[in-house]
Amino acid sequence: MAAAAEQAARTTPTPFYLTSEAEIAAAAAHLEAAFPDPWVRSYSLKADPLPAIVSLFNDRGWGANCVSLGEINAARHAGMPNAWITLEGIGKGPEEFDAAIAAASTGAPFRWVAIESLDEARALAAAVQKYLTPLSTPLRVLLRLNPSIEPGTHAGLAVGRGSSKFGSDLAEITAAARLIAADGAGIELIGIHLHAGSQLRDLKEWETAVERSLAAYAGLVSEGLITEATHQKHGTLCVGGGEPVALDGSDDPAAQARAFRAAADAAWSGAAGPVPLVRAIEPGRALVATGTYLIARVLHIRERAEVVSGPLALPGALASNCERQVILDAGMGELIRPVLYGARHPVLPISSRDGSTRLSAVHGPICESTDALGAHQLPEGIARGDLLAITGAGAYADAMWSPYNGRPRPARLLLGVSGELSELRVRGLI
Ligand SMILES: Cc1ncc(COP(=O)(O)O)c(C=O)c1O
């Protein structure tokens, strides 16, 4: 990767994102081994919706889990057929409904649409009724359960908590299912959708979330809200994503994927009522986080103590407390996770500088104090123009890019499995 980054930096201005196809393939293979067919595997585009990345998953038989018309278009651009597209998200609006209805009306429906609330079920039913022609195939939906667990992750990622804005409790699920049965002509309720949170480390809690989802599913079947015919043919539970990634390399991703599968199996085998035939996962981060590096250059270096404590100290991963300051040409615009979630992304030198290293405060170029990457061991002799790689920049990095301070969008490059470099997006293009 270092050699490819140096080669690319001769012609591509920094910062740029460099993705290793081999690393993405390895991450995908771990999840494919743990969740083989007939598990339905979809890639959650929110982690990185670049069509060229999505098409790597398309080629491996993964579907596309989308939250917006923009992501649906990216999935289509990557070659995904409607039958492999799932649509979910707390903020779906008329554009997303229209896309789902249009797909069903042409006989090529999305795999499913996951509904977040009773109000959303009402809005979708009304949108289908307003459509001028009856749908030629049913618009299949899941209802998203809020499993009300303690996901054991960062507060900003704990979407399976009862207090989060995501999903519905059992009473709301039942009300939405009854509404669909009464007013949802053209809509077929096929099951339950779950996503308990991201960077999930507490698998016991996750297993509880899957158990609750299975119980919710069984309740809908026994009330006839999922019909017997649907249960037999299309009954579905999607258990979401959330598999964690440690950027310091301390995880064993194959073992982790197996542990998630074992927890799902334990929930399925303990289920009392009718269980869904179709089982699905939709990871994002675990597939793409580690395969992409943000390649940056050193802009300025100076000796300046940053030993700060008390209320004005930067929190967690942003804090430095050391005596050398290194300013890079990449920062929170290209990678917002440190400031958003306190994420620590190791920074590795690429330009070789032999000898000792020194703890250095690494900052980005943006006019915000929180544009910082914390303290990292960097070569003593580091100099202006040296190249560095910020690791773990594949998930929720380019996807959350911001042009703040008038900065152009970085180029995207791919290091292919046989070592060739290709440009996936030129610098400056949105
Ligand atoms: C519903 C849903 N599914 C899947 C994902 C992907 O999660 P992760 O990237 O942690 O695997 C998310 C992330 O927010 C989500 O909200």
Side-chain angles (χ1 to χ4, degrees):
M1 193 283 303
E6 280 193 303
Q7 184 192 331
R10 281 185 212 121
T11 50
T12 306
T14 55
F16 58 85
Y17 301 95
L18 175 61
T19 299
S20 155
E21 188 178 356
E23 288 189 51
I24 295 227
H30 296 317
L31 282 155
E32 288 158 7
F35 295 90
D37 295 350
W39 277 86
V40 172
R41 298 174 298 273
S42 300
Y43 165 57
S44 282
L45 266 70
K46 55 178 74 93
D48 183 357
L50 194 73
I53 299 296
V54 181
S55 75
L56 298 178
F57 294 104
N58 186 17
D59 293 348
R60 300 182 72 93
W62 288 68
N65 178 43
C66 304
V67 293
S68 65
L69 186 59
E71 286 192 355
I72 291 168
N73 288 337
R76 286 179 169 156
H77 202 70
M80 292 278 179
N82 283 354
W84 288 18
I85 293 177
T86 58
L87 175 62
E88 50 99 2
I90 187 82
K92 299 187 290 299
E95 287 187 331
E96 286 76 25
F97 286 175
D98 283 353
I101 293 168
S105 80
T106 56
F110 293 156
R111 186 175 262 151
W112 62 69
V113 176
I115 302 291
E116 290 269 345
S117 65
L118 170 60
D119 205 37
E120 192 184 16
R122 201 177 282 126
L124 181 62
V128 172
Q129 273 166 33
K130 267 201 266 154
Y131 206 69
L132 292 180
T133 44
L135 305 187
S136 63
T137 42
L139 195 161
R140 301 205 165 97
V141 298
L142 305 180
L143 295 172
R144 179 169 175 179
L145 178 74
N146 179 317
S148 196
I149 56 154
E150 281 304 318
T153 182
H154 184 279
L157 302 173
V159 301
R161 270 196 171 152
S163 56
S164 95
K165 69 178 175 183
F166 297 96
S168 303
D169 63 16
L170 212 46
E172 193 175 351
I173 290 262
T174 308
R178 286 181 184 152
L179 179 129
I180 290 167
D183 302 330
I187 300 178
E188 183 184 15
L189 174 60
I190 59 167
I192 294 287
H193 182 229
L194 167 73
H195 175 68
S198 283
Q199 296 280 42
L200 296 172
R201 294 274 172 200
D202 188 336
L203 276 186
K204 212 57 218 157
E205 282 291 299
W206 188 69
E207 191 180 315
T208 302
V210 179
E211 283 166 6
R212 289 180 183 167
S213 305
L214 287 166
Y217 177 88
L220 295 177
V221 175
S222 52
E223 219 189 297
L225 296 170
I226 292 175
T227 66
E228 190 54 31
T230 298
H231 164 61
Q232 296 293 346
K233 213 164 157 202
H234 299 295
T236 299
L237 171 57
C238 175
V239 297
E243 291 78 3
V245 175
L247 297 178
D248 60 4
S250 57
D251 279 338
D252 175 347
Q256 206 153 54
R258 283 196 299 271
F260 269 79
R261 172 64 196 277
D265 284 353
W268 246 273
S269 57
V275 290
L277 190 75
V278 180
R279 309 170 185 204
I281 54 166
E282 52 183 31
R285 180 190 320 275
L287 291 166
V288 293
T290 54
T292 294
Y293 302 79
L294 177 57
I295 309 299
R297 280 191 195 280
V298 174
L299 288 178
H300 311 292
I301 303 166
R302 66 179 169 190
E303 298 298 324
R304 174 153 141 180
E306 285 194 14
V307 184
V308 189
S309 59
L312 287 184
L314 287 175
L318 310 180
S320 41
N321 282 2
C322 48
E323 293 184 349
R324 182 170 69 170
Q325 188 182 69
V326 176
I327 308 288
L328 305 185
D329 62 3
M332 64 191 283
E334 293 76 30
L335 182 65
I336 201 171
R337 298 191 65 256
V339 58
L340 198 56
Y341 298 128
R344 185 170 166 82
H345 289 252
V347 177
L348 309 174
I350 292 180
S351 309
S352 58
R353 303 269 166 196
D354 295 336
S356 56
T357 60
R358 175 138 65 106
L359 204 58
S360 309
V362 180
H363 292 272
I366 303 283
C367 305
E368 294 289 337
S369 298
T370 48
D371 182 28
L373 286 155
H376 298 266
Q377 286 291 346
L378 294 180
E380 186 66 58
I382 197 166
R384 287 169 73 99
D386 279 2
L387 283 177
L388 299 162
I390 302 167
T391 60
Y396 309 105
D398 185 34
M400 292 185 173
W401 169 79
S402 151
Y404 180 44
N405 278 189
R407 295 166 56 75
R409 193 155 202 178
R412 294 281 314 249
L413 283 89
L414 184 74
L415 175 61
V417 278
S418 40
E420 73 288 359
L421 273 170
S422 53
E423 196 166 44
L424 305 180
R425 184 184 68 210
V426 298
R427 182 173 189 251
L429 275 192
I430 299 289

